[in-house]
Amino acid sequence: MIRIEFETGAVLELDREHLVGADLRGLSLPRALLGKLNLSRANLREVDLRSASLE
């Protein structure tokens, strides 16, 4: 299970072992804390990353 945490305290849980190569098309991830996640080769087309943290 992958947990994506947000600055707001919200959490999005995805039923996946990892995000490498994941198809994340169209997800809404504004203010998500993505710095510790490996998004290598992930499909991020049309993903809302407004103010998301990649550090």
Side-chain angles (χ1 to χ4, degrees), residues 28-54:
S28 180
L29 300 175
R31 299 179 71 192
L33 303 172
L34 303 173
K36 295 180 181 177
L37 299 175
N38 185 350
L39 297 168
S40 300
R41 297 186 309 273
N43 182 349
L44 299 173
R45 287 186 181 121
E46 299 181 23
V47 172
D48 181 0
L49 293 171
R50 274 178 297 128
S51 299
S53 174
L54 299 173

Side-chain angles (χ1 to χ4, degrees), residues 3-4 7 9-11 14 16 22 30 33-35 39 42 47-48 55:
R3 292 173 46 94
I4 298 176
E7 291 177 8
V11 174
L14 301 173
R16 298 187 57 95
L33 303 172
L34 303 173
L39 297 168
V47 172
D48 181 0
E55 295 182 43

